[in-house]
Every structure is written in C-alpha cells, then in structure tokens.
Amino acid sequence: MNRIYLDHAATTPMRPEVLEAMMPFFRDQYGNPSSIYQTGRGAQKALDQARDKAAELIGANPREIVFTSGGSEADNLAIKGVAYALRSKGNHIITSAIEHHAVYHTCKYLEKNGFRLTVLPVDADGLVDPAAVASALTSDTILVSIMHANNEIGTIQPIAEIGEILRKRSILFHTDAVQTVGHIPVNVDQLGVDLLSLSAHKFYGPKGVGALYVRRGTRLDPLIHGGAQERNRRAGTENVAGIVGMTTALGLAMEEMEGEARRQQELRDMLIEGILRNIPHTRLNGHPKQRLPGNVNLCFEFIEGESLLLNLDMKGIAASSGSACTSGSLEPSHVLLALGLPHAIAHGSLRLTLGRDTSVPDIQAVIDVLPGIVDKLRQMSPLYDAEAMRKAQSVR
Ligand SMILES: *Cc1c(COP(=O)(O)O)cnc(C)c1O
C-alpha cells in the first residue's frame, strides 16, 4: 500500500543530500572542534561555515547564533536564559495561550519559581492582538514570547507589528519560529525580534539539532554549564554532523521556498475545499488566509479525533489529532480550547500537514476516503444519534 504522510508539522523526512553532507563528520572528520590538530581544525572550519550560513539565511550575524539540541532547548534557553539574566530588572513575562509546550511549560515553570506570567488570549482564528500585548506591558516586563506560526492550526502571528511595539519600549522579544523557518520568509530584523528558535527536523534536516538566534547585546544566562562552547552560552562538544546537516537542509529549503510554498498552498486549499464541500458539520480551525502553506486543521462534530486517526492509518494515511493521548488521559488541545471551541468539538479535530513530497493524488486520496470514515464513525456515535433525533423531532 502506498503510504501517504501528512504529518510534516510533527517531523519531516531527512533529505538524502543532507545525510550526504553529514557523513564525513561521522567518518574521517571526527575531531573535536576545540582541538588544535588537523581533524579538530577541520571540524571547527565546518562549524564556522555552518554558523555563517545559518546566520545569513535568517539575516543575522554569525556571533548571534547558538546551536542547541533542537527547538525545545532553544525555547528553554531563550526564556529561562533571559528570565535569570534580567531577574534584578523585573519579573514579568508575557506569552500567548496557544504556544507550543516548549514555551508554555517553560513559562509555567518560571511562574512557579517567582516570576509573574501573563497569558494573552487569542481570537477565534488564533490571532494575538498586538494592542493586547501593548496593554499587558508593565514596568516589570522583561520578556514577551509569541510564536511566529502555530504548529497545530497554522495561524501566522503579526510578529513584526508586535516587535515594533516592544522595540519602542526596549522589552526583549522572543519568537518560536520552528514552524516557519525554511517554509516562509524569516528575517530577524524584519520581524523585530531579539531571540528566535528554530529546529532542523521541521525542514528536512536531522532530529536533535536546532538553534537560537540571540541579538547582539542581549543578556542571557546559560542553561548548560561547562566548557566555553558557543561563546559561553551553551557548553558541550558541538554536534558537528547535525549542525552541518541542519544548515545544508536550511539552504536547500530556502532555495525552493517560494515555489514550494505556493505549490503547497494550492494543495492545502484544494484539500480544505474538498473536505468542507463533502462533509457536513465540519469547520476549519485557524486563520483562513494568514496560515502556514501546508497546514490544514479541521473539526468534525460528533467524532473523536483518535478513532479518526486510526481509521486513516488503516487506509495508509498518517495524520495527527489535536488531542494528545498522553498517560491515558484524553485531553483536548490547549490551542483548540483557546480558540473558544467546546471540549466535545475540540476532541474531533484532525491536522493534516503537507510537505515537499505531497502530491495532487495524495490530496485526492484523502478527499475520497475521508467522507466514508467520518460517516461510519458518526453512525457509531451516540452524540450523532441524539442530534439526528433532535432534528427529526423539530421537523415533526
Ligand atoms: C516541533 C516544535 C518545537 C520543538 O522542537 P524540537 O526540535 O522537536 O524540540 C517547538 N516549537 C514548535 C512550534 C514546534 O513545532
């Protein structure tokens, strides 16, 4: 069976060119970049080149790049690093209700440890209001963290607008750009951010490697203490192969970005239309226009997301749902709840995220197979029966 992978927001397959670029650093070029003999110098050179390239691709200076073990570490370093460094200046942090857990749980952890946290609401499309950011600021505010685009519903935030407000007030601004780097234009100056997180495995690079952009002059305490790597901001022997793989992947993603974004956007809209046209009691989550080119997120009333996923999987389609079935408790996504959706509806969500390997026949296959699955599950649902009966009643 031809498997269709529609979960690119969770992770992407690594490109063969990326693996190729990484291989020498597992084989002959195994030296420690801090060593002064030849294999060490070779590794250091590769690291320098990777840093130059990563910086250039997001409009930064190489000194402003800190390599990390991924997006989660970059988010933790940005938020805890600034919070601890600026503790004597103030203790107030602002974030939004739809952040990735790597940001949200980090902020919650700081709140438990003496910081004051404001969690801004979003509107029904998932947008943060820049005016709400402005009015939440106090003389104690040291950091604002708002994601560039949401990983579940794809909504793209007005980061540049928020950045302008914060720059005037000299308040540090972090954005989690893990879903946007390599997919839509990202430039740290145009966005007006001081810190920006990215992760390689979301743009066809290896897992376990990412970076944090830190604007020059930004005070930041390290999370990991030890050697002097990354200009004392992140100790530990560098993941040379991973870092080379990441910048190779980023270069390739940037080259094809414009055309690929346009292509995926067309497929995305074809998928959304095809589903909404054929399946009643269905709604699109996230902003209809201001959304990631490859993101589709829908709620099917009277249905449970998990059973939808299992049925799609049986048809060879890999997707994701808003409810994370962790430790046996089926909690609906905090993102969908923040949009104002009731629990019962948030449970019936489906996220389909497209990638560079997604084709028109893939999209058509989903459009063809989904109505049958949804109908079957609804027939089994007591909620749906109740609705049908209520309707029958009102007709009579
Ligand atoms: C995937 C993701 C992360 C976490 O990145 P890892 O490299 O998997 O740790 C953080 N934020 C967003 C928005 C993501 O999509």
Side-chain angles (χ1 to χ4, degrees), residues 70-72 75 100 147 151 176 178-179 199 201-202:
S72 298
D75 287 340
H100 187 274
M147 72 199 314
N151 46 299
D176 175 336
V178 172
Q179 286 292 330
S199 175
H201 76 100
K202 301 292 174 78

Side-chain angles (χ1 to χ4, degrees), residues 77-88:
L77 176 58
I79 297 166
K80 290 179 198 162
V82 165
Y84 289 132
L86 297 188
R87 195 159 211 176
S88 59

